[in-house]
Amino acid sequence: MTGTTAKSGRTGAIRPALLETRFPTFIPSYEGESGPDETLGRLNLNEAIFPPSDAAIAAARDALAFSHRYPDDFGTALKSELSTRTGIAPEAIHLGSGSSELLFAAVQISIEAGDHAVLPAPTFPVCAKAITHAGGRMTQVPVRADGANDVDAMLAAITAETRLFYLCTPNNPTGADLSADDLARAIANVPDQCLLLIDEAYMEFAVAEGGVDALSLIGDRSGPWMITRTFSKVYCLSALRVGYAFSSGGDVSQALNQVRANFTVSRPALAAALAALKDDDYLRHVLSATINARHELAKGLSGLACSVLPSRANFLTVRPHSVSAVKLAAQARDAGLLVQAMPWPDAIGSLRLTIGTPSQNETLLAVLRAGLGEG
Ligand SMILES: Cc1ncc(COP(=O)(O)O)c(C=O)c1O
């Protein structure tokens, strides 16, 4: 049947929009080069410094023995624990293969061809990708000078066609989080015909330093909402791929259940996530070690020819004053460390540095001291 023209007028099997768009490979996989043995230190993916907690590893290992059985498709035990901790009904909690899957789903349930979305820029790229593929349009509103989402400018970009409003707090790749006032203004003013999506992948780091979590304020919202979180960061389970979302329930939950594929969160992943969630001591240990190391790194960078953006995440974003970020990333690589150079906000660019082990941070500081010079 080759050459048959579909109703849309197209002849090929693959949707042309997917062949025309070219998203940069924003997150290169260095597994082949560095391997899990960390021949090259991976300070480029905002992974945890630490391995999973012993309890999480033991739970995953036990679950592996049942790998001939599909996992619990509803994630009953994990949702129940999340529900107990937050008061959100299990029906309004959704699990995904990483929070990335839930961000994709948020776009799938809200954006049809021609619909409009408002996003910060730069930010985590998954939503923009999904919007483009859905045939949606978007306004990408520059973040503030401190790197936080510019809520007021974003609210001003809403039109009658806007169906999705995406906030990322703390924002990746810039690091700053939103204040309670900023969040409250978004919660109150994003209209009811818009899904308010708040990505809190690094929320635990922010809250540990006095930041707000959106869930504590979202009760004031009348319109639909989702708040996504992940086990990939502070819970040290990036490889297992578990994310979750709280939602306003009702239509949002119904739609999320419609678009989801079954069994996308594996049995070992569910078991490890539940054990990690209950291991409060380990969480505190990861939080304090990471945050202290971030402060140390920021202190070491002060006085060099760069600006360090405020961060409440497990990474630090640095704007060199004159040396190109790409050049500095190459120097870091020569010293055995992968860091993320970004073409933002200007031709010099910036570097996103995931907080590493004490010795990695020392090496990184030495590279940047030599590469940047004093400012
Ligand atoms: C802001 C933000 N959201 C979501 C994600 C997705 O994480 P995961 O799919 O591992 O849950 C990341 C990953 O780096 C992120 O930085």
Side-chain angles (χ1 to χ4, degrees), residues 26 38 78 222 253 270 364:
F26 183 75
E38 302 252 328
L78 182 55
S222 54
S253 290
L270 286 170
L364 187 56

Side-chain angles (χ1 to χ4, degrees), residues 252-263:
V252 175
S253 290
Q254 149 77 13
L256 287 171
N257 287 331
Q258 290 307 304
V259 299
R260 112 190 149 88
N262 296 105
F263 305 119

Side-chain angles (χ1 to χ4, degrees), residues 298 341 343 356 372:
L372 286 164

Side-chain angles (χ1 to χ4, degrees), residues 100-110 195 226 256 259-260:
S100 298
E101 187 174 59
L102 295 161
L103 295 172
F104 245 101
V107 174
Q108 276 183 295
I109 67 168
S110 58
L195 175 64
M226 280 174 71
L256 287 171
V259 299
R260 112 190 149 88

Side-chain angles (χ1 to χ4, degrees), residues 26-27 45-47 96-103 123-126 166-173 199-202 228-233 237-239 241-244 314-315 352:
F26 183 75
I27 306 177
L45 294 175
N46 297 346
E47 294 163 318
S97 177
S99 56
S100 298
E101 187 174 59
L102 295 161
L103 295 172
T123 195
F124 190 63
V126 162
Y166 170 73
L167 293 176
C168 186
T169 176
N171 188 53
N172 179 14
D199 179 343
E200 288 193 330
Y202 304 93
T228 56
R229 295 184 184 169
T230 184
F231 285 93
S232 296
K233 306 298 178 183
L237 294 173
S238 306
R241 316 300 304 124
V242 196
Y244 59 102
N314 67 347
F315 61 89
R352 192 192 62 193

Side-chain angles (χ1 to χ4, degrees), residues 68-157:
H68 56 305
R69 300 287 189 204
Y70 281 108
D72 172 6
D73 195 30
F74 298 101
T76 313
L78 182 55
K79 283 186 188 173
S80 163
E81 181 67 21
L82 289 167
S83 175
T84 303
R85 284 168 179 253
T86 58
I88 300 293
E91 301 75 44
I93 301 177
H94 300 269
L95 304 180
S97 177
S99 56
S100 298
E101 187 174 59
L102 295 161
L103 295 172
F104 245 101
V107 174
Q108 276 183 295
I109 67 168
S110 58
I111 297 291
E112 294 182 293
D115 290 339
H116 177 250
V118 177
L119 291 77
T123 195
F124 190 63
V126 162
C127 284
K129 193 172 184 181
I131 290 163
T132 303
H133 292 162
R137 295 170 297 119
M138 65 193 121
T139 302
Q140 295 172 288
V141 179
V143 294
R144 301 185 322 216
D146 67 356
N149 296 178
D150 190 336
V151 169
D152 294 322
M154 290 177 69
L155 287 171

